[in-house]
């Protein structure tokens, strides 16, 4: 019976199985309440035998990476990793207009875990950043985010973000949020995600912004006589001013601005120790490092071409 995946119970992605949270407009013969997905090309079926033949048969799928451009590669040792493991993280930039079929499949799979984001088949105006962990047999997808190629007014740096259930609570969500802000810094304009965010998404961004600003404060001389301003943090982190202000308000950090004649959100030297105390039990972010960028992302390539 052909139907959408509204009654889908379980997903098999590579060697991982997990439950879907929401419906997604897959159109396939769901003979069983399962969706079997090739973790490399993302072809899907509801029949285990077909999936097993595709992945492990006499002529198995030869795809071992997402399509598109490899833009980031970081081999992280156990000693350097904030979560105490060694792994190689890679990010692929996949243009929706060049690889529509892959991006449609990715959007359909992601929709199983997103309540509000409805765009699935129309991917021409999107670019996808796919995060994988490199293994012996290929690059294993753990999640992705998408963003609009052209935004005319507000500088949105993220359209939707998905980390698949087996890979959550490992720092990958914060890493991809950080990568979206890395793109904002490359573009020279602070950004923010498109709204609305889910409750979990709001909390993820609150935590990320606090950690990113704290990381900047640790890198900066805490005894510096110059107050830490919103503009300085925006420039270094890529986070927009409104979101930086929320962290200052959370810290109750204000300083008197003589020009404006009032107190404004601003961090002064004595706030550092209080901030450090609040953040002492938090796991540091998996850093997005400029020197691990293999080639320029799409927006920067267009700028150079222009």
């Amino acid at each position: 019976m052909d139907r959408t995946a509204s009654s889908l119970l379980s997903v098999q992605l590579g060697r991982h199985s997990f439950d879907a949270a929401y419906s997604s407009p897959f159109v396939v013969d769901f003979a069983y309440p399962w969706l079997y997905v090739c973790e490399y090309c993302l072809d899907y079926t509801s029949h285990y035998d077909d999936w097993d033949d595709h992945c492990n048969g006499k002529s198995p799928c030869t795809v071992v990476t997402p399509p598109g451009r490899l833009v980031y590669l970081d081999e992280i040792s156990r000693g350097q990793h904030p979560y105490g493991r060694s792994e190689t993280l890679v990010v692929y930039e996949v243009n929706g207009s060049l690889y529509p079929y892959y991006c449609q499949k990715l959007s359909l799979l992601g929709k199983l875990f997103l309540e509000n984001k409805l765009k699935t088949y129309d991917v021409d105006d999107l670019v996808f950043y796919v995060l994988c962990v490199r293994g012996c047999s290929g690059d294993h997808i753990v999640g992705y985010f998408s963003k609009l190629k052209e935004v005319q007014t507000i500088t949105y740096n993220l359209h939707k973000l998905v980390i698949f259930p087996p890979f959550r609570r490992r720092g990958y969500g914060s890493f991809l949020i950080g990568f979206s802000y890395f793109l904002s810094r490359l573009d020279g304009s602070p950004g923010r995600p498109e709204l609305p965010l889910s409750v979990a998404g709001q909390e993820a961004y609150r935590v990320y912004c606090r950690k990113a600003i704290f990381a900047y404060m640790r890198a900066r001389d805490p005894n510096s006589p110059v107050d830490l301003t919103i503009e300085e943090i925006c420039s270094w982190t890529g986070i927009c001013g409104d979101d930086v202000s929320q962290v200052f308000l959370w810290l109750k950090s204000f300083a008197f601005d003589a020009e404006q004649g009032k107190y404004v959100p601003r961090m002064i030297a004595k706030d550092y120790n209080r901030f450090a105390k609040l953040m002492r039990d938090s796991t540091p972010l998996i850093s997005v490092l400029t020197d691990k960028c293999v080639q320029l992302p799409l927006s920067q390539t267009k700028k150079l071409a222009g």
Side-chain angles (χ1 to χ4, degrees):
M1 176 173 60
D2 287 345
R3 53 181 173 169
T4 63
S6 58
S7 57
L8 193 63
L9 296 180
S10 299
V11 178
Q12 184 79 36
L13 180 67
R15 63 186 179 86
H16 299 281
S17 60
F18 44 90
D19 293 336
Y22 303 102
S23 64
S24 183
F26 286 96
V27 179
V28 68
D29 178 18
F30 279 107
Y32 306 97
W34 277 84
L35 183 72
Y36 299 96
V37 184
C38 173
E39 64 177 322
Y40 299 119
C41 73
L42 301 187
D43 278 359
Y44 56 85
T45 178
S46 67
H47 297 271
Y48 173 84
D49 290 342
D50 293 343
W51 171 78
D52 186 54
D53 184 62
H54 173 88
C55 298
N56 307 305
K58 293 182 179 179
S59 299
C61 179
T62 57
V63 176
V64 293
T65 71
R69 307 163 67 240
L70 176 64
V71 294
Y72 189 87
L73 187 153
D74 190 7
E75 298 177 356
I76 312 174
S77 67
R78 187 181 300 274
Q80 296 173 322
H81 203 298
Y83 286 77
R85 60 180 185 264
S86 60
E87 63 183 354
T88 298
L89 298 182
V90 293
V91 178
Y92 288 86
E93 181 183 69
V94 189
N95 191 328
S97 59
L98 296 179
Y99 304 98
Y101 187 42
Y102 178 89
C103 293
Q104 287 168 0
K105 292 183 290 185
L106 187 60
S107 291
L108 286 167
L109 187 60
K111 180 63 183 70
L112 293 173
F113 308 97
L114 294 168
E115 183 177 11
N116 296 321
K117 309 293 186 178
L118 300 177
K119 193 173 225 183
T120 50
Y121 289 102
D122 184 11
V123 295
D124 284 355
D125 59 345
L126 295 173
V127 58
F128 294 76
Y129 291 91
V130 183
L131 175 63
C132 300
V133 175
R134 180 151 289 180
C136 297
S137 58
D139 292 343
H140 306 281
I141 185 172
V142 301
Y144 73 94
F145 75 87
S146 60
K147 63 174 291 189
L148 290 168
K149 295 176 187 175
E150 304 291 342
V151 180
Q152 300 300 325
T153 52
I154 301 173
T155 307
Y156 292 124
N157 60 12
L158 186 144
H159 175 63
K160 62 182 177 182
L161 167 68
V162 176
I163 300 297
F164 297 116
F167 313 107
R168 293 174 183 172
R169 302 187 182 280
R170 300 188 188 184
Y172 297 137
S174 292
F175 175 84
L176 281 180
I177 292 173
F179 200 87
S180 72
Y181 285 118
F182 168 70
L183 297 178
S184 292
R185 296 200 305 274
L186 290 180
D187 289 338
S189 177
R192 68 182 313 171
E194 290 184 48
L195 302 177
L197 292 172
S198 65
V199 173
Q202 293 174 36
E203 180 60 23
Y205 267 88
R206 275 194 292 268
V207 170
Y208 173 83
C209 289
R210 292 169 187 175
K211 287 184 177 183
I213 293 172
F214 181 60
Y216 177 61
M217 289 189 69
R218 285 195 305 178
R220 187 179 187 265
D221 181 3
N223 297 315
S224 171
V226 181
D227 294 345
L228 186 57
T229 65
I230 291 175
E231 292 74 19
E232 181 182 343
I233 292 177
C234 291
S235 176
W236 190 84
T237 63
I239 301 171
C240 75
D242 288 346
D243 293 336
V244 174
S245 295
Q246 290 302 312
V247 177
F248 280 28
L249 292 173
W250 172 68
L251 284 169
K252 299 181 174 61
S253 295
F254 298 89
F256 187 78
D257 188 305
E259 291 184 5
Q260 300 184 49
K262 62 180 181 180
Y263 282 90
V264 297
R266 183 173 294 173
M267 203 170 291
I268 57 180
K270 68 180 180 62
D271 291 321
Y272 176 80
N273 291 333
R274 186 160 54 89
F275 198 0
K277 192 172 183 180
L278 290 169
M279 300 297 290
R280 64 187 173 190
D281 295 327
S282 65
T283 306
L285 299 169
I286 302 175
S287 299
V288 179
L289 304 173
T290 304
D291 61 351
K292 303 301 180 181
C293 193
V294 177
Q295 57 183 323
L296 288 171
L298 181 65
S299 60
Q300 294 297 305
T301 304
K302 281 186 175 181
K303 283 184 181 180
L304 292 179

